[in-house]
Amino acid sequence: ANFSEKVVESFPSDISTGIYYGWACVGNGDVHKMVLSIGWNPFTKKSVETHIIHTFKEDFYGEILSIVIIGYIRPEKNFDSLEALISAIQEDIEEAKRQLDLPEHLKLKEDSFFHLPEGKIVNNH
């Protein structure tokens, strides 16, 4: 799930590019582990891409995506091959799973931040 340019511009300007982990929720659905990439794509605009570690039955375009960034995995980097990129992504996902299973991170999954009141309008949506 990619955030819009408007949302990306609202992120703190001093946030480092790289790979992060945390929790994500689509609409008022369940909260899932996620890996987040903050980087320059294609090297001119900052982008924020969320990989939710869950298989959804259908697309969720237009839904509100709520995230909580818990920690940092590694800096942004270039890869020599698609295989190297895929391997790094798999390692990032495994590291995120390990970290998010820690009790101090697991408890944040239940935070009220993820539960929007019915009918609440967020950012004009």
Side-chain angles (χ1 to χ4, degrees), residues 14-30:
D14 61 346
I15 193 166
S16 297
T17 59
I19 309 301
Y20 295 80
Y21 62 89
W23 297 105
C25 179
V26 177
N28 270 329
D30 293 334

Side-chain angles (χ1 to χ4, degrees), residues 65-78:
L65 175 60
S66 302
I67 65 167
V68 172
I69 299 171
I70 306 296
Y72 185 76
I73 297 176
R74 64 173 174 83
E76 179 182 31
K77 62 182 180 178
N78 294 320

Side-chain angles (χ1 to χ4, degrees), residues 31-50:
V31 178
H32 301 285
K33 295 174 181 175
M34 65 95 179
V35 176
L36 185 83
S37 171
I38 300 176
W40 296 100
N41 188 11
F43 307 107
T44 57
K45 285 188 180 178
K46 195 175 262 188
S47 68
V48 178
E49 301 173 0
T50 308

Side-chain angles (χ1 to χ4, degrees), residues 6-120:
K6 184 177 179 181
V7 171
V8 173
E9 289 169 1
S10 72
F11 269 63
S13 60
D14 61 346
I15 193 166
S16 297
T17 59
I19 309 301
Y20 295 80
Y21 62 89
W23 297 105
C25 179
V26 177
N28 270 329
D30 293 334
V31 178
H32 301 285
K33 295 174 181 175
M34 65 95 179
V35 176
L36 185 83
S37 171
I38 300 176
W40 296 100
N41 188 11
F43 307 107
T44 57
K45 285 188 180 178
K46 195 175 262 188
S47 68
V48 178
E49 301 173 0
T50 308
H51 172 77
I52 301 172
I53 305 171
H54 175 76
T55 302
F56 290 88
K57 293 180 183 176
E58 54 191 43
D59 289 336
F60 49 84
Y61 292 106
E63 291 285 340
I64 293 172
L65 175 60
S66 302
I67 65 167
V68 172
I69 299 171
I70 306 296
Y72 185 76
I73 297 176
R74 64 173 174 83
E76 179 182 31
K77 62 182 180 178
N78 294 320
F79 295 93
D80 295 333
S81 67
L82 180 57
E83 292 78 18
L85 171 62
I86 291 170
S87 177
I89 290 170
Q90 290 170 339
E91 290 172 17
D92 296 339
I93 290 170
E94 291 308 312
E95 178 64 14
K97 288 177 181 179
R98 278 190 295 277
Q99 292 296 324
L100 291 166
D101 281 340
L102 295 172
E104 63 268 27
H105 296 153
L106 200 54
K107 69 181 179 184
L108 295 171
K109 179 180 180 180
E110 304 303 324
D111 194 275
S112 63
F113 167 78
F114 290 115
H115 305 289
L116 298 172
E118 288 299 318
K120 181 176 179 184

